Amino acid sequence: MDAAHNVSPSFLRLKHIIGDQKASPPIPPIIPISKTAWWNGVRDGIYPKPIKLSDNVTVWRSDDIQKLVDHIVKTHLPSVPCLIKKDKNHV
């Protein structure tokens, strides 16, 4: 594929970010929060600003969502204690 036609990053709709269990097949969440919590976070500047493609189509850049996930992992997960007990015989 020619580099001039390489499309990256892509756009994600809200259902691809927070998931949609009613879809067929269900869409697993990237960030498992409610729609209200997501929009409150957008309003408060916690989550990336959306791009409005039309009156009924709002999207986010996939690279912005990846940066958000990376930030969440970096800032929150290291402080979460491991809930799996380590086996002394397993390396």
Side-chain angles (χ1 to χ4, degrees):
M1 187 162 158
D2 186 353
H5 298 290
N6 186 11
V7 179
S8 184
S10 61
F11 291 135
L12 298 172
R13 306 245 351 229
L14 185 58
K15 66 182 176 182
H16 298 112
I17 299 168
I18 65 170
D20 184 354
Q21 294 303 312
K22 294 179 182 178
S24 181
I27 301 170
I30 296 170
I31 302 171
I33 61 172
S34 71
K35 186 184 286 191
T36 300
W38 177 261
W39 281 112
N40 287 341
V42 169
R43 180 194 66 216
D44 296 341
I46 297 168
Y47 304 135
K49 291 182 180 181
I51 299 167
K52 195 81 167 158
L53 296 181
S54 71
D55 288 343
N56 295 320
V57 179
T58 303
V59 297
W60 285 262
R61 290 174 50 105
S62 61
D63 58 334
D64 287 344
I65 300 304
Q66 184 62 56
K67 287 177 193 173
L68 174 61
V69 170
D70 293 344
H71 174 74
I72 292 169
V73 169
K74 181 180 177 184
T75 59
H76 292 91
L77 291 186
S79 64
V80 175
C82 182
L83 299 177
I84 301 172
K85 293 183 180 181
K86 294 182 180 177
D87 183 359
K88 293 179 184 178
N89 299 324
H90 192 294
V91 177

